[in-house]
Amino acid sequence: MQGGEWLQRSKPDDMKEWQVKLQRAPVEETEGVTVKAAIIGFLLVVGISVAGCYSAFLRYDLIGTGHLPRCALFPIMLFALVNPFWRWLFGKTLFSRSDLLFIYCIVLIMTGIPGQQFSNYLYLGLVAPVYYSSPRNMPALLQYEGLNWLQYIPDWAVPSKDPRSGVIAWVFEGLPEGAKIPWQPWVLPLAFWTFFYFALFTSHILIASLLRKQWVEHEKLSFPLAQVPVEVADERRLIAMGRNLLFWFGFIIPVFVYTFRALHIYFPHFPNINIYPNWGAIFQGRPWDVINYTPFNIYFDMIGVTYLIPSDVGFSFWFFSFLFRRVQMVIRSAMGLTDHQQPLEMQTIGGLFALFALQMWVARLYFKEVFAQAWQGINHDPNAAPLPYRNLLLWLLFCLVFLIVWTKGFSVAVHWAIALFVIHYIWRIMTARIITEAGLFVFWTPFPVNFLLRFFGRDLIGTTSISGLTMVNSKFTDSATCLLPQALQALKIAQSESLNQRQVFKLMIASTVLSMLVCHPTSLRILYTTTVTKMGWWTRGYPYWLANDFLTRLAQDLRMPTWHYIALLAGAVSTFFLAWTRWQLFWWPFHPLGFVAANAVPWFGDRYGFSMLLGWLAKALVMWFGGIRLWHFFRPFAIGMILGNTFILFTLIIIHFFFPTNEVVVIE
């Protein structure tokens, strides 16, 4: 079924047909990576890691955020434009299509590492709990006698446990004149944390390798974001788009708008174009006042991507995140309720668990065959995964055991360590599902530790486990650039464009390791040469926010009231209902993914909902008046908006890097 029709009718009687499909298949001929592509790719990894750390810490320009990262797509666009000139000069192209796609895959997997996925959370997250464990630096501790999370953090996990030591205090208070960067105390903790992240990132790539065949070949998900680099890397398609005026109209719109905005930021007298309007405070009292300041943000890449995805998916995302969420808030306000976010978030969490259960049910025959082949040590289809199933599952098991043992080293009870990673992987898999089927540029999930504390309560989990869970989870809490969707997109590109999957797998592992090793010295140099108070707005606030998480979780019982459990159950039941009706009624317009994503974080629908409405509306009108042929006619316009948005925003990030302002030029 096309377009992510994943709720398929599956019966035990289908096993014979399934096994016929999984008979021994011939090895497909694939293109291997060239030395040139590998060198260029890894040079880009080094450059992006260095520049990304500086941008993330000092400017809060996250050059690699999202699942169509600009720092990966922009070089491919540049190299594709160089090719015709190179052929004119030397009679041959500089980069083949496969070269460009290999380079994209090498860069794609690591784009979040120099930002919030790794560098911000790791280095600041190792000094903040120490620095703010002292009442001198966090006076709020004075009202809680004996509250000290530092005693539960092992010595080997942080560079120092003395809040007044130079290795900690200099990050916040500045490096004294004549003092040198204290490299040595960081060697041991960074070595340990590198192994932790290696296991975590490798597990994401292994899970992506396991899911690839089911999602790509059996369920035929659309992977809309992966379509864009494939279009750019194909010279014939790129030339055809370049001759299409609609492509250039789409390209010019974001370039024009963001150029005006940048000129206004640098020269305030220059006119501005407001692409983040809202309708202000038009209601004075309950219940309608909760929808005051409803935003109508314009994100050109989201408009373009929504035009490319299946109509029911696009409709459901804007309907649930932009409209239905506000309807619920109005109803709750009319009932006298004021706490909207937590119960709505519980709906999302219930939906995430329900979607995961549904996905595992749909894929049960595939996984049964995978485990059978792994047990027997054979692979009927050599093209199914980059590693034999037995090796893949053994490596995945090793990574999971390592992560649980690691977390237990922070005095966390083993069952809470298991719970943390079970939730983490369920939510990351469903994030990957949303990205690969709906094409969201960015998506966030709730924090697993917050859910555990709200569901079970502080007393049941215990102070020791809460401290350890907070410390460990803070290092991978951000899902906006998680590796699992990136790995799935890279493997999808490899499968559809006949690249060697095993080489793509190895290149992704090497890319993540290289990026981490480059981030270590780069980030430490930034921390000690620029104090936290002089960094970007988010970087300045994160250390205190993390310390406040420790304080709040240890000092308060965050267990949610009974009716929040009802909201959790309602989210799961609603998701099952939407999935069942979509399975039974092919005209059903509501996709369960849209319902689940609507309330994950409060700003998701506010930020992207209106843009998804515009993209869906454009596609609906085109399909109504001209059908699929007219949709294809306007497709270059949508691609043009995506590429134009990438071009101008990455260009502005480079300019802002060398010529900083007091404002953030690019907001995701």
Side-chain angles (χ1 to χ4, degrees):
M1 297 183 182
Q2 297 294 330
E5 295 283 351
W6 56 276
L7 289 174
Q8 307 173 56
R9 294 177 174 87
S10 299
K11 303 176 183 178
D13 295 340
D14 296 334
M15 180 60 73
K16 291 183 179 179
E17 180 183 351
W18 190 278
Q19 289 175 338
V20 169
K21 292 180 180 179
L22 289 173
Q23 292 300 317
R24 185 177 299 277
V27 179
E28 297 178 0
E29 291 190 12
T30 56
E31 297 186 60
V33 64
T34 62
V35 175
K36 172 176 58 181
I39 292 174
I40 295 295
F42 287 123
L43 286 176
L44 283 172
V45 168
V46 173
I48 291 169
S49 297
V50 173
C53 288
Y54 275 95
S55 293
F57 279 109
L58 303 185
R59 313 278 186 262
Y60 196 59
D61 288 334
L62 304 177
I63 68 175
T65 195
H67 302 288
L68 185 65
R70 300 176 189 109
C71 63
L73 187 58
F74 185 87
I76 304 305
M77 294 170 57
L78 185 62
F79 295 151
L81 292 175
V82 167
N83 264 343
F85 295 101
W86 195 271
R87 184 187 300 107
W88 179 69
L89 291 173
F90 302 104
K92 60 180 181 179
T93 57
L94 180 60
F95 297 103
S96 68
R97 176 190 60 87
S98 60
D99 284 338
L100 295 178
L101 293 176
F102 269 116
I103 293 171
Y104 181 80
C105 293
I106 292 171
V107 177
L108 172 67
I109 194 67
M110 53 69 55
T111 51
I113 292 177
Q116 288 182 338
Q117 183 68 27
F118 175 82
S119 60
N120 279 182
Y121 289 135
L122 175 59
Y123 309 103
L124 291 172
L126 294 186
V127 295
V130 180
Y131 185 76
Y132 287 108
S133 65
S134 168
R136 171 177 173 267
N137 303 321
M138 194 171 189
L141 283 170
L142 294 172
Q143 59 184 307
Y144 301 104
E145 183 179 354
L147 182 63
N148 179 16
W149 56 80
L150 198 57
Q151 61 182 314
Y152 305 114
I153 299 176
D155 294 344
W156 50 263
V158 291
S160 172
K161 294 183 75 172
D162 181 3
R164 297 194 177 189
S165 65
V167 67
I168 301 297
W170 293 347
V171 172
F172 298 89
E173 301 167 10
L175 194 68
E177 186 175 353
K180 296 181 179 180
I181 296 175
W183 300 102
Q184 195 276 332
W186 284 91
V187 173
L188 184 62
L190 286 186
F192 282 120
W193 282 104
T194 301
F195 284 116
F196 169 83
Y197 274 106
F198 177 77
L200 182 70
F201 292 160
T202 301
S203 69
H204 283 196
I205 299 174
L206 290 168
I207 292 173
S209 303
L210 187 64
L211 293 173
R212 200 273 321 160
K213 185 177 178 68
Q214 171 67 19
W215 288 7
V216 173
E217 299 180 28
H218 297 160
E219 300 182 38
K220 293 181 170 39
L221 301 189
S222 56
F223 284 81
L225 298 184
Q227 298 174 24
V228 179
V230 170
E231 293 275 350
V232 173
D234 191 313
E235 188 171 345
R236 288 177 299 178
R237 297 183 191 177
L238 194 62
I239 291 174
M241 283 194 298
R243 293 172 178 169
N244 191 318
L245 286 178
L246 281 174
F247 170 82
W248 288 110
F249 284 141
F251 189 95
I252 288 170
I253 289 173
V255 171
F256 177 82
V257 170
Y258 278 109
T259 299
F260 259 70
R261 287 183 55 79
L263 288 172
H264 174 74
I265 289 174
Y266 282 100
F267 310 102
H269 61 277
F270 202 87
N272 187 24
I273 299 178
N274 183 17
I275 58 175
Y276 309 119
N278 64 76
W279 64 21
I282 61 177
F283 299 106
Q284 300 303 315
R286 285 186 176 182
W288 300 101
D289 60 331
V290 296
I291 60 174
N292 282 337
Y293 303 103
T294 293
F296 301 95
N297 298 341
I298 305 233
Y299 288 88
F300 298 103
D301 47 1
M302 281 308 309
I303 296 173
V305 168
T306 308
Y307 184 84
L308 301 178
I309 64 179
S311 296
D312 61 335
V313 177
F315 168 77
S316 299
F317 270 87
W318 77 258
F319 175 83
F320 284 113
S321 64
F322 189 70
L323 181 61
F324 185 67
R325 175 172 172 266
R326 285 180 167 77
V327 170
Q328 289 189 83
M329 292 170 63
V330 169
I331 294 173
R332 289 175 53 79
S333 182
M335 297 169 61
L337 302 173
T338 58
D339 175 22
H340 305 302
Q341 176 51 29
Q342 278 198 25
L344 294 180
E345 183 182 291
M346 286 300 122
Q347 286 185 19
T348 283
I349 293 174
L352 287 170
F353 286 134
L355 276 180
F356 179 78
L358 287 168
Q359 176 57 38
M360 293 302 102
W361 172 256
V362 170
R364 67 193 185 282
L365 297 180
Y366 168 70
F367 286 123
K368 182 176 181 179
E369 186 64 24
V370 166
F371 284 105
Q373 292 185 38
W375 180 261
Q376 297 168 14
I378 58 175
N379 269 43
H380 291 316
D381 184 1
N383 309 306
L387 293 177
Y389 285 136
R390 174 178 288 181
N391 295 348
L392 192 154
L393 292 175
L394 287 175
W395 273 108
L396 181 58
L397 179 63
F398 174 80
C399 291
L400 298 180
V401 171
F402 178 87
L403 293 171
I404 292 170
V405 172
W406 171 276
T407 305
K408 194 176 183 306
F410 284 79
S411 301
V412 177
V414 66
H415 55 283
W416 296 122
I418 293 173
L420 173 68
F421 285 101
V422 166
I423 296 171
H424 168 76
Y425 285 111
I426 288 176
W427 291 357
R428 287 298 183 268
I429 289 171
M430 297 324 301
T431 297
R433 184 73 191 201
I434 290 170
I435 303 306
T436 54
E437 189 166 350
L440 294 186
F441 175 74
V442 65
F443 178 70
W444 296 268
T445 53
F447 297 163
V449 173
N450 286 349
F451 171 69
L452 288 173
L453 284 168
R454 290 170 186 166
F455 192 90
F456 294 103
R458 178 190 60 182
D459 295 337
L460 184 60
I461 298 177
T463 301
T464 304
S465 290
I466 291 174
S467 298
L469 290 172
T470 300
M471 186 65 177
V472 174
N473 187 229
S474 68
K475 303 299 178 290
F476 55 87
T477 191
D478 190 84
S479 59
T481 46
C482 62
L483 269 67
L484 206 157
Q486 318 294 59
L488 269 163
Q489 291 189 78
L491 293 170
K492 161 64 178 176
I493 291 171
Q495 181 268 341
S496 63
E497 302 304 312
S498 298
L499 306 183
N500 188 301
Q501 283 193 60
R502 179 163 294 192
Q503 289 186 352
V504 170
F505 176 86
K506 293 178 179 178
L507 290 169
M508 287 193 292
I509 297 290
S511 177
T512 56
V513 173
L514 177 60
S515 182
M516 285 191 290
L517 295 179
V518 172
C519 285
H520 286 337
T522 306
S523 298
L524 293 184
R525 180 171 294 278
I526 295 170
L527 287 180
Y528 288 105
T529 55
T530 306
T531 58
V532 168
T533 55
K534 296 180 180 179
M535 294 182 181
W537 71 270
W538 187 92
T539 317
R540 292 196 302 269
Y542 173 69
Y544 183 82
W545 299 334
L546 175 58
N548 192 62
D549 282 342
F550 277 97
L551 178 62
T552 303
R553 292 168 182 172
L554 292 173
Q556 303 176 22
D557 190 358
L558 302 177
R559 186 165 183 172
M560 57 191 182
T562 302
W563 56 279
H564 284 198
Y565 293 91
I566 298 174
L568 181 73
L569 180 61
V573 171
S574 299
T575 302
F576 281 123
F577 172 76
L578 291 172
W580 181 83
T581 49
R582 188 169 183 269
W583 184 28
Q584 297 292 327
L585 307 172
F586 289 102
W587 53 265
W588 185 255
F590 302 107
H591 198 296
L593 287 179
F595 172 76
V596 167
N599 303 305
V601 291
W603 59 86
F604 169 73
D606 292 345
R607 188 173 292 180
Y608 299 109
F610 183 68
S611 295
M612 299 192 79
L613 167 61
L614 295 178
W616 170 83
L617 186 61
K619 181 175 182 178
L621 292 174
V622 166
M623 294 294 289
W624 178 270
F625 288 106
I628 194 66
R629 293 184 63 180
L630 192 61
W631 178 83
H632 277 289
F633 179 77
F634 282 105
R635 188 173 182 271
F637 181 84
I639 298 290
M641 277 205 299
I642 296 170
L643 296 183
N645 197 81
T646 296
F647 168 78
I648 186 60
L649 291 186
F650 195 79
T651 301
L652 292 178
I653 285 174
I654 295 174
I655 294 172
H656 191 233
F657 182 82
F658 293 102
F659 302 98
T661 66
N662 291 327
E663 296 186 48
V664 178
V665 176
V666 178
I667 302 177
E668 273 130 23

